[in-house]
Amino acid sequence: MYKPFALKISPLQLLVSTDFFRFRYPFRPNLAFQSNLLPFSFRQFVSRSKFGGRVRCFSSFNSNMTITTLPSIKDGCLIVGDKVVLTAVPDNVVVSPVTHRAAFLGATASTSSSRHLFSVGILDRHEFLCLYRFKMWWMIPRIGKSGSEVPVETQMLLLKVAEESALNDESSADQDTDRSYYILILPVLDGSFRATLQGTSQNELQLCAESGDVNVQTSKTLEAVFINSGDNPFEIITNSMKVLEKVKGTFSCIDNKKIPSHLDLFGWCTWDAFYTDVNPQGIKEGLQSFSDGGISPKFLIIDDGWQETVNEYRKEGEPDIEWIQFATRLSDIKENKKFRGSGSDDSLQELVHSIKEQYGLKYVYVWHALAGYWGGVLPSSESMKKYNPKIEYPIQSPGNVSNLTDVVVDILEKYGLGVIDPEKIYDFYNDLHGYLASIGIDGVKVDVQNIMETLGTGHGGRVSITRQYQEALEQSVVRNFKETNLICCMSHNSDSIYSSKKSAVARVSEDFMPREPTFQTLHVAAVAFNSLLLGEIVVPDWDMFHSKHETAEFHGAARALGGCAVYVSDKPGNHDFKILRKLVLPDGSVLRARHAGRPTRDCLFRDPVMDGKSILKIWNLNKLTGIVGVFNCQGAGQWPLMKVAQNEDTSKSTNLTITGSVRPNDVEFLEDVAGENWDGDCAVYAFNSGSLSKLKRKESVEVGLRTLECEIYTIAPIRVFGNDIHFAPIGSLDMYNSGGVIETLSHSMDLSQCTIKMRGRFCGRFGAYSSTKPSRCTVDLKEEEFTYESGSGLLRVKLEDGSISREIEFVY
């Protein structure tokens, strides 16, 4: 049976799923026909501006989505959803439909090449947010309004489009002018070619397609850029990635991956604590100092410094060449002498066994680079010869060279990288990971991943060699560690992003740098924005931080709502347990929110770091509540490659007080956790101030913050139980992510008595909003005292120490 779509009173592109049309002419009876029987091109016919008929589409395709115009090119304009997106579109640019609202954009050339730079039109009408690689390893955001502001190496472009219609007809009167419209322009992989976007000084938007190997050439790339649109930017990105997952078949979305268990446990990484001087004694001292403070990590990352390596360019008695450490190469898969020691107690195997037993560690990971080590492997090593390694010299793409260069690549371009034969790379990983698993290691953090893009020559190109290494890595990890116990790092190129089949965790920003005061706000803002894209494919890793640091609360609060692992890199004895207790439960678990923490919708097209007026708000969901973190990132740094006024000194922080507002509507999809018959009312609890407000969805509370200050709001939908009892659980008032402790909420009626029951991981002070005072409270069936503030409706219960898995009941 045919199913009618919503009436669209405008010229309409022929949809892939539409097979039946009815025209209602202004002065004639209705006409019905099947599109495949038309004696002309329906697409060309209905796109004529003078066509005056109204169209109703019917289809056997079962869809509950309102039809929108497919991306198309008309009169030299790229039109998406009745909006002109690009003008002066060249004739060699083509659009190919993918779904009823999405399409690929590509281009053709007269000659074959390994790198093409196509103009796809002029962009000068719309606000945009883009994510681009400012250096080889990492992305950051940028906002703008014209093509000239789109940086080289842009990997995502999101437009907020003005409401005027692209077509001069009666349809413009029917547009909803109260809603913004968003268009996602996403460069992806097309076979052996990888696409990015960039702008020119003339506002041209250019598509760059490159293989990374002069012998891998093409004259066309027809599926290089994916375009989708709609009125919810988060849904557009999610839906686009799901479509691409099926169409491309080269990667998997996060919903289809197995998540490593370490993410829900508090961790410690050795990097900032020891750097490459890490050793067994230091690790034991660090774990003991955590234990002495009452909070013990449950997972550990032994970072760089445990491997057997050789640097052929360091000469005894001579000063080191600057940055020459990055030319160091791996000579053996086993640990170095620091972890072999003079006795069995100091071996890596004995260390892992003893610290798991003594300190309750559940997971121990170790670090290695994708190529083995920073400089790859040592070809002359007897242990490495079976992998057929050879010295190769990285070749950077013009895009990388156009932005910030990196000392790692500078060194490797000069001294070369010991590259394992891609046909042997699985054998290498399998040997390495098999050995590590045999001595008790549970997983790996794999760094320096983007280096493979520079090694495509002779290997089928950058996409090909990246995918070979990525697939081998994932297969080995799953085989040897039995889980996807893998943290990817320095992997922000689209070659890696769209080759991620099983990797479920990846770093989403440049390193946390404790000694760089102007990098702190950039770190938090970059992770939030990068998570828009990367959070669809991996659980974002926000990197470690220091619990005892002037920005500890800023970083800790961000990680509490980031949906990520929580781990620190404190030096032994250098901890702030007050901060840690706001993040870590007594059993060593953490309250990880359900999704990747992302900027709220009203922050997407603002610069929270450099415009001097905008706060950064990050939203997420728990099982029964929402959460919004508010951060003042202004006045404490500047984005790389951004021009600033000559009188601005960005080498130090400036204390700026910024005001903003928070409302329940900041939490996307809040209705999904609100329960049935929710009327939009919420209890909003501010963690630092302790204030509780009752708000409707569009109502707001004001917040004022100085530079590097933050506030976290739990947004708890109010449910109505029994005899008009309005109730909303807030959760643990002592934890940054208060609502993360609540697992279930139910109620029961017994005559005139209403009982509200919650299960969860409760500790410290429990709080809830209640419109009336309950008659009693029980915790695990034992009656407990509680306090109730009639003015705000705040209900508090002080829980005794003990098991955190508890049941709380309020009886009315």
Side-chain angles (χ1 to χ4, degrees):
M1 179 176 179
Y2 291 109
K3 300 183 180 183
F5 286 120
L7 180 64
K8 183 71 177 179
I9 310 176
S10 69
L12 186 68
Q13 291 290 345
L14 181 59
L15 306 175
V16 174
S17 61
T18 303
D19 48 27
F20 189 83
F21 287 84
R22 173 168 289 123
F23 287 82
R24 185 180 300 142
Y25 284 86
F27 306 106
R28 297 190 183 183
N30 293 344
L31 299 176
F33 52 86
Q34 287 181 263
S35 60
N36 65 324
L37 301 179
L38 289 175
F40 52 82
S41 169
F42 184 79
R43 178 177 297 182
Q44 294 178 1
F45 182 75
V46 299
S47 65
R48 295 174 185 169
S49 59
K50 62 183 179 181
F51 177 72
R54 298 185 181 186
V55 184
R56 184 182 293 272
C57 308
F58 294 78
S59 175
S60 54
F61 175 77
N62 187 9
S63 173
N64 60 3
M65 299 181 72
T66 302
I67 261 190
T68 59
T69 305
L70 270 170
S72 63
I73 298 173
K74 176 180 181 292
D75 297 332
C77 297
L78 175 66
I79 300 173
V80 181
D82 292 349
K83 314 297 180 185
V84 173
V85 178
L86 301 173
T87 58
V89 177
D91 292 338
N92 65 324
V93 176
V94 294
V95 171
S96 308
V98 180
T99 70
H100 66 285
R101 69 165 67 208
F104 282 118
L105 180 144
T108 61
S110 57
T111 59
S112 291
S113 176
S114 62
R115 186 174 189 270
H116 290 282
L117 203 57
F118 299 108
S119 173
V120 295
I122 303 296
L123 175 67
D124 64 355
R125 305 180 60 174
H126 313 301
E127 291 181 88
F128 73 75
L129 160 69
C130 73
L131 302 178
Y132 78 103
R133 283 199 304 164
F134 74 101
K135 64 169 66 172
M136 177 181 289
W137 323 107
W138 309 113
M139 290 193 299
I140 55 174
R142 181 177 292 184
I143 60 170
K145 293 184 178 180
S146 65
S148 63
E149 298 173 280
V150 178
V152 175
E153 281 290 312
T154 289
Q155 298 189 137
M156 188 191 88
L157 185 63
L158 181 67
L159 307 182
K160 184 178 180 181
V161 182
E163 289 301 319
E164 62 267 25
S165 174
L167 300 165
N168 223 356
D169 62 17
E170 60 178 323
S171 69
S172 61
D174 292 338
Q175 298 297 315
D176 182 358
T177 57
D178 294 330
R179 294 192 303 173
S180 297
Y181 196 72
Y182 303 90
I183 297 171
L184 178 67
I185 303 177
L186 195 64
V188 291
L189 305 182
D190 189 3
S192 297
F193 282 73
R194 174 251 189 183
T196 55
L197 301 172
Q198 62 189 59
T200 72
S201 58
Q202 290 76 40
N203 288 335
E204 278 187 310
L205 185 64
Q206 294 180 330
L207 158 63
C208 177
E210 56 190 342
S211 72
D213 186 341
V214 293
N215 297 312
V216 178
Q217 301 187 353
T218 190
S219 61
K220 61 183 179 181
T221 175
L222 302 181
E223 296 186 357
V225 179
F226 185 81
I227 302 177
N228 200 1
S229 61
D231 57 12
N232 185 312
F234 304 100
E235 286 185 342
I236 297 166
I237 297 172
T238 298
N239 294 338
S240 295
M241 299 305 286
K242 289 181 177 179
V243 171
L244 286 167
E245 177 187 30
K246 294 179 180 178
V247 172
K248 293 292 187 179
T250 62
F251 72 96
S252 299
C253 291
I254 189 60
D255 291 345
N256 295 321
K257 292 179 176 178
K258 190 170 183 179
I259 307 302
S261 299
H262 82 265
L263 290 171
D264 294 311
L265 301 171
F266 172 57
W268 180 46
C269 178
T270 63
W271 180 242
D272 285 320
F274 308 107
Y275 299 111
T276 55
D277 293 328
V278 61
N279 60 78
Q281 186 60 32
I283 291 173
K284 292 176 184 178
E285 290 174 359
L287 291 171
Q288 184 62 48
S289 70
F290 279 110
S291 179
D292 292 343
I295 295 181
S296 290
K298 297 302 178 183
F299 86 88
L300 168 71
I301 301 174
I302 302 176
D303 214 290
D304 189 3
W306 69 273
Q307 292 172 287
E308 186 68 42
T309 60
V310 172
N311 192 310
E312 301 172 291
Y313 309 102
R314 280 180 165 152
K315 306 299 181 183
E316 189 174 349
E318 296 181 11
D320 276 353
I321 302 168
E322 188 176 22
W323 305 114
I324 198 62
Q325 68 266 31
F326 295 116
T328 303
R329 300 187 178 119
L330 186 70
S331 58
D332 200 301
I333 63 172
K334 295 184 178 181
E335 64 271 23
N336 60 32
K337 62 182 181 181
K338 289 187 298 182
F339 288 87
R340 291 195 298 268
S342 56
S344 61
D345 289 345
D346 292 326
S347 71
L348 183 57
Q349 181 172 2
E350 287 301 319
L351 172 70
V352 171
H353 175 77
S354 66
I355 60 179
K356 284 184 175 181
E357 185 174 293
Q358 183 173 355
Y359 299 107
L361 281 166
K362 294 186 177 181
Y363 302 97
V364 176
Y365 285 30
V366 297
W367 178 99
H368 70 80
L370 188 66
Y373 200 69
W374 292 94
V377 302
L378 187 67
S380 61
S381 167
E382 290 298 323
S383 299
M384 294 295 150
K385 286 182 179 178
K386 63 179 178 178
Y387 308 120
N388 297 341
K390 62 179 180 179
I391 299 298
E392 298 187 18
Y393 294 86
I395 301 173
Q396 293 195 72
S397 70
N400 282 344
V401 177
S402 297
N403 289 331
L404 286 186
T405 57
D406 187 84
V407 294
V408 177
V409 189
D410 293 342
I411 285 291
L412 296 179
E413 284 179 329
K414 183 174 181 179
Y415 296 97
L417 188 82
V419 180
I420 292 173
D421 182 347
E423 297 299 321
K424 296 286 186 179
I425 189 60
Y426 175 77
D427 295 338
F428 168 73
Y429 290 145
N430 189 47
D431 290 345
L432 172 62
H433 298 154
Y435 170 71
L436 292 171
S438 74
I439 62 172
I441 298 297
D442 303 290
V444 286
K445 171 185 174 182
V446 181
D447 221 334
V448 207
Q449 295 200 11
N450 282 2
I451 196 62
M452 303 316 300
E453 73 175 57
T454 68
L455 302 168
T457 299
H459 298 294
R462 54 185 291 168
V463 173
S464 176
I465 191 171
T466 296
R467 188 163 295 153
Q468 281 183 279
Y469 268 65
Q470 184 75 18
E471 288 178 355
L473 175 67
E474 292 178 343
Q475 290 170 10
S476 175
V477 166
V478 172
R479 177 182 179 181
N480 290 288
F481 301 119
K482 313 306 178 187
E483 302 285 348
T484 52
N485 288 355
L486 169 64
I487 303 171
C488 296
C489 194
M490 300 174 75
S491 56
H492 283 194
N493 63 5
S494 53
D495 317 54
S496 296
I497 294 170
Y498 298 114
S499 296
S500 174
K501 281 276 195 175
K502 298 179 180 179
S503 307
V505 182
R507 276 272 302 283
V508 286
S509 77
E510 193 168 16
D511 295 12
F512 164 74
M513 298 184 184
R515 293 189 292 273
E516 296 286 352
T518 62
F519 283 18
Q520 307 308 311
T521 57
L522 306 185
H523 180 91
V524 170
V527 173
F529 280 93
N530 287 344
S531 293
L532 289 163
L533 175 62
L534 298 178
E536 300 295 338
I537 296 178
V538 294
V539 175
D541 185 299
W542 283 61
D543 200 16
M544 62 206 111
F545 71 105
H546 282 183
S547 71
K548 195 170 186 178
H549 191 269
E550 55 269 23
T551 63
E553 183 146 33
F554 198 77
H555 283 285
R559 284 151 180 79
L561 56 89
C564 58
V566 176
Y567 61 112
V568 296
S569 193
D570 296 350
K571 292 181 182 296
N574 201 34
H575 319 288
D576 186 337
F577 289 102
K578 290 182 179 179
I579 295 289
L580 293 179
R581 288 190 178 91
K582 299 175 187 178
L583 290 163
V584 186
L585 294 172
D587 65 350
S589 64
V590 297
L591 302 173
R592 188 166 62 89
R594 293 173 60 181
H595 306 295
R598 290 160 286 178
T600 58
R601 195 182 302 204
D602 59 349
C603 290
L604 290 177
F605 301 93
R606 298 177 183 175
D607 184 350
V609 171
M610 291 180 61
D611 71 7
K613 59 184 179 181
S614 299
I615 59 172
L616 172 65
K617 294 186 292 182
I618 303 172
W619 69 274
N620 213 323
L621 285 169
N622 296 304
K623 290 184 178 179
L624 293 167
T625 61
I627 182 171
V628 175
V630 187
F631 302 85
N632 183 354
C633 300
Q634 302 286 348
Q638 71 176 81
W639 295 115
L641 303 173
M642 285 286 286
K643 296 179 180 179
V644 295
Q646 291 183 353
N647 61 346
E648 289 188 32
D649 180 5
T650 57
S651 63
K652 55 186 177 182
S653 297
T654 302
N655 205 338
L656 298 176
T657 298
I658 305 293
T659 59
S661 61
V662 175
R663 55 182 181 167
N665 253 5
D666 287 332
V667 181
E668 302 284 336
F669 317 116
L670 186 59
E671 61 277 4
D672 293 349
V673 301
E676 296 180 357
N677 304 317
W678 178 51
D679 65 2
D681 286 353
C682 290
V684 178
Y685 179 78
F687 177 82
N688 288 321
S689 71
S691 64
L692 179 64
S693 305
K694 181 181 177 182
L695 301 177
K696 297 187 180 300
R697 288 204 68 166
K698 294 184 179 181
E699 293 179 335
S700 63
V701 291
E702 298 298 309
V703 57
L705 299 169
R706 292 180 295 178
T707 298
L708 286 168
E709 285 187 342
C710 61
E711 178 64 281
I712 296 186
Y713 294 88
T714 295
I715 313 291
I718 296 174
R719 294 161 169 82
V720 182
F721 297 126
N723 298 321
D724 202 31
I725 298 167
H726 293 238
F727 185 89
I730 296 167
S732 174
L733 305 183
D734 301 317
M735 305 295 288
Y736 286 131
N737 183 10
S738 303
V741 301
I742 310 164
E743 302 286 347
T744 64
L745 171 67
S746 61
H747 84 288
S748 60
M749 293 293 298
D750 183 11
L751 299 176
S752 61
Q753 180 175 284
C754 176
T755 301
I756 297 174
K757 180 187 299 184
M758 290 152 291
R759 296 180 187 271
R761 295 182 288 164
F762 302 122
C763 62
R765 297 177 303 147
F766 175 83
Y769 165 82
S770 179
S771 59
T772 59
K773 182 179 180 179
S775 58
R776 72 176 187 272
C777 167
T778 64
V779 178
D780 293 335
L781 303 180
K782 177 185 176 183
E783 190 160 339
E784 295 285 353
E785 294 183 357
F786 63 91
T787 61
Y788 179 71
E789 297 177 4
S790 58
S792 65
L794 180 59
L795 187 61
R796 292 192 190 95
V797 181
K798 179 68 173 70
L799 302 174
E800 296 179 356
D801 294 338
S803 171
I804 64 168
S805 181
R806 304 182 186 187
E807 180 180 278
I808 299 176
E809 290 186 357
F810 291 105
V811 180
Y812 294 82

